[in-house]
Amino acid sequence: MTGFPDHRQQSTRPQLPAWLDRYTTLGVYGLLVGTGLCLVAFLTNPVPDPSFPWATLPELVRLPVVQPRIEHWPVTYTIGIWLWVFCFPALFLAGYRRYGDGNRGAAVWLVGLPTVAMLGWTTYCRFFWPKLHPPTWNAPAYTFVCWLYCSTYDVLWSNTAYVIALFGIVATILVVRHQDRDRYALLGFGFLALPLGLPALYEGYRRTTRTGT
């Protein structure tokens, strides 16, 4: 009797290496845990984030304890935000794993959307984030170069972040056009934009090793 084809085995969904697949899954859970830890700070401290003094809960709702702070932020709030920083790339990898298909999927999920995110966060931190004084080493940021700006408020590092984001746009265009140099652009953007650039760094490494074999 003729059987029906197993479409699951014919799926074109990309396969991530085991370690990256594990990071992607755990990273999504890490984002949820980070969100929970940030919310805990609202139950213990009157003003968890001094940048937003209006974001507070009534005293009757809060617990009768107050967390110590690491620089400007309560302990669980700090841990939660840093979990967001290091787990945020998992969102793009999860999207690629679930919806990515072919070269266009890689361009969108692994470099295009991270570039848009970097442009958005850099603009927010530069022009809209209510900055705290003094600047602190504990200022969370989604790339190392953005951390240099958020921990010093030196405009040089913000401008550098914009240059790196523009490099991400170039890398995205090269990937969409199937240019031979796209793997080097992916490696460059991925490294300069770490940890946000992890998806692009992976794709650049994958294309380099694939080309070399």
Side-chain angles (χ1 to χ4, degrees):
M1 183 175 66
T2 303
F4 293 99
D6 188 347
H7 294 289
R8 292 175 299 177
Q9 295 179 356
Q10 300 175 9
S11 173
T12 58
R13 292 178 185 173
Q15 298 294 319
L16 299 174
W19 68 270
L20 193 59
D21 188 73
R22 190 176 304 111
Y23 161 78
T24 301
T25 300
L26 293 176
V28 173
Y29 287 114
L31 293 172
L32 296 176
V33 172
T35 300
L37 289 172
C38 288
L39 293 176
V40 167
F42 284 88
L43 296 175
T44 59
N45 291 56
V47 182
D49 192 335
S51 292
F52 309 100
W54 49 266
T56 183
L57 292 177
E59 185 177 357
L60 291 175
V61 180
R62 296 196 303 269
L63 300 174
V65 294
V66 177
Q67 291 186 51
R69 293 178 179 266
I70 302 177
E71 297 290 331
H72 299 298
W73 300 279
V75 173
T76 62
Y77 197 86
T78 296
I79 297 173
I81 292 296
W82 279 107
L83 273 174
W84 264 88
V85 168
F86 287 106
C87 293
F88 195 58
L91 284 179
F92 305 112
L93 290 166
Y96 176 66
R97 185 175 62 183
R98 179 67 178 85
Y99 302 107
D101 184 12
N103 199 64
R104 186 171 296 275
V108 170
W109 288 101
L110 301 182
V111 61
L113 289 178
T115 297
V116 171
M118 186 173 183
L119 281 170
W121 286 118
T122 300
T123 300
Y124 168 74
C125 292
R126 173 76 171 268
F127 299 106
F128 302 103
W129 177 43
K131 298 174 179 58
L132 299 174
H133 294 277
T136 170
W137 61 269
N138 192 35
Y142 286 85
T143 69
F144 292 134
V145 71
C146 292
W147 174 81
L148 289 170
Y149 172 70
C150 291
S151 61
T152 63
Y153 304 152
D154 188 333
V155 174
L156 169 66
W157 299 116
S158 179
N159 292 338
T160 303
Y162 275 115
V163 172
I164 294 172
L166 290 176
F167 187 21
I169 294 175
V170 172
T172 303
I173 294 172
L174 291 176
V175 173
V176 170
R177 294 185 175 181
H178 299 272
Q179 297 295 313
D180 291 338
R181 292 168 292 180
D182 59 4
R183 56 188 183 274
Y184 301 115
L186 286 166
L187 286 171
F189 171 73
F191 177 77
L192 293 172
L194 283 172
L196 183 64
L198 177 63
L201 188 63
Y202 154 72
E203 181 65 8
Y205 174 77
R206 186 184 71 84
R207 293 183 182 220
T208 301
T209 53
R210 182 184 62 187
T211 303
T213 57

